[in-house]
């Protein structure tokens, strides 16, 4: 017995991805503004990844390409944004797992760095980590926020993978030999 994933359109997969991005941002903003948790630079980079994926999902939902090229393009772009978020969340978890004596020292704030440094240098400094990113401010069921964010990104990855599956299915349909009656 074989099970197949439902055949959803690019628009349907994109709307599902966009809805999950909205949920992720709502949780992040709720924790910040209601829970009083200030985001560290790596948290902000994770938010940028969610927003980048949301933008791609929005454009893909509006465009709703029928061909495999469009599906592959949107699937690839959104998967790149989600993959970037996965990488940053993973890095954040790694920083939080370091022993106290190996945690990098706290650097300048992100706003300050953005004001005085080129973007490339800011990204490099943030990804190399700072002490404030290694702090664990919140645990839920034994997982810190970057752990939950990583899980969120892994779930979110299902949407671009679904879009890419559409492109692959379209390719198979186009390349399948036509059966004669």
């Amino acid at each position: 017995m074989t099970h197949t994933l439902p055949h959803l359109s690019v628009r349907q997969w994109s709307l599902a991805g966009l809805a999950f991005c909205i949920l992720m941002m709502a949780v992040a903003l709720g924790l910040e503004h209601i829970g009083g948790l200030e985001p560290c630079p790596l948290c902000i980079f994770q938010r940028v990844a969610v927003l980048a994926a949301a933008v791609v999902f929005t454009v893909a939902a509006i465009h709703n390409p029928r061909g495999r090229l469009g599906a592959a393009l949107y699937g690839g772009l959104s998967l790149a944004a989600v993959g970037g978020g996965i990488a940053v969340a993973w890095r954040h978890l790694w920083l939080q797992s370091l022993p106290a004596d190996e945690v990098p020292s706290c650097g300048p704030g992100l706003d300050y760095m953005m004001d005085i440094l080129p973007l490339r240098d800011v990204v490099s400094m943030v990804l190399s980590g700072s002490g404030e990113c290694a702090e664990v401010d919140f645990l839920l069921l034994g997982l810190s926020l970057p752990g939950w964010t990583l899980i969120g990104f892994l779930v979110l990855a299902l949407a671009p993978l679904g879009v890419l599956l559409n492109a692959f299915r379209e390719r198979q349909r186009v390349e399948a030999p036509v059966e004669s009656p």
Side-chain angles (χ1 to χ4, degrees), residues 10-20 57 61:
V10 171
R11 176 172 287 145
Q12 291 167 320
W13 280 114
S14 297
L15 289 173
L18 178 60
F20 201 76
F57 288 137

Side-chain angles (χ1 to χ4, degrees), residues 87-100:
V88 174
W90 192 278
R91 175 75 175 166
H92 200 167
L93 276 173
W94 176 78
L95 278 172
Q96 287 185 339
S97 73
L98 291 175

Side-chain angles (χ1 to χ4, degrees), residues 24 93 138-153:
M24 288 180 74
L93 276 173
F138 178 87
L139 288 175
L140 178 64
L141 301 175
L143 285 177
S144 65
L145 284 177
W148 285 108
T149 306
L150 177 61
I151 291 170
F153 277 120

Side-chain angles (χ1 to χ4, degrees), residues 3-128:
H3 295 282
T4 60
L5 289 174
H7 184 73
L8 300 176
S9 68
V10 171
R11 176 172 287 145
Q12 291 167 320
W13 280 114
S14 297
L15 289 173
L18 178 60
F20 201 76
C21 287
I22 291 168
L23 174 66
M24 288 180 74
M25 285 305 299
V27 169
L29 293 172
L31 288 170
E32 178 181 355
H33 296 289
I34 297 169
L37 296 175
E38 285 296 317
C40 72
L42 286 175
C43 291
I44 292 170
F45 275 31
Q46 290 167 66
R47 289 181 185 188
V48 169
V50 171
L51 293 173
V55 167
V56 176
F57 288 137
T58 300
V59 174
I62 292 168
H63 181 213
N64 194 29
R66 302 269 184 240
R68 67 179 188 218
L69 180 62
L73 176 68
Y74 290 123
L77 288 173
S78 55
L79 190 59
V82 172
I86 288 170
V88 174
W90 192 278
R91 175 75 175 166
H92 200 167
L93 276 173
W94 176 78
L95 278 172
Q96 287 185 339
S97 73
L98 291 175
D101 62 330
E102 292 181 29
V103 171
S105 63
C106 290
L110 186 59
D111 289 338
Y112 177 76
M113 288 189 289
M114 292 293 290
D115 285 343
I116 66 163
L117 296 172
L119 183 59
R120 183 184 74 243
D121 293 346
V122 172
V123 170
S124 176
M125 287 180 71
V126 169
L127 292 179
S128 65

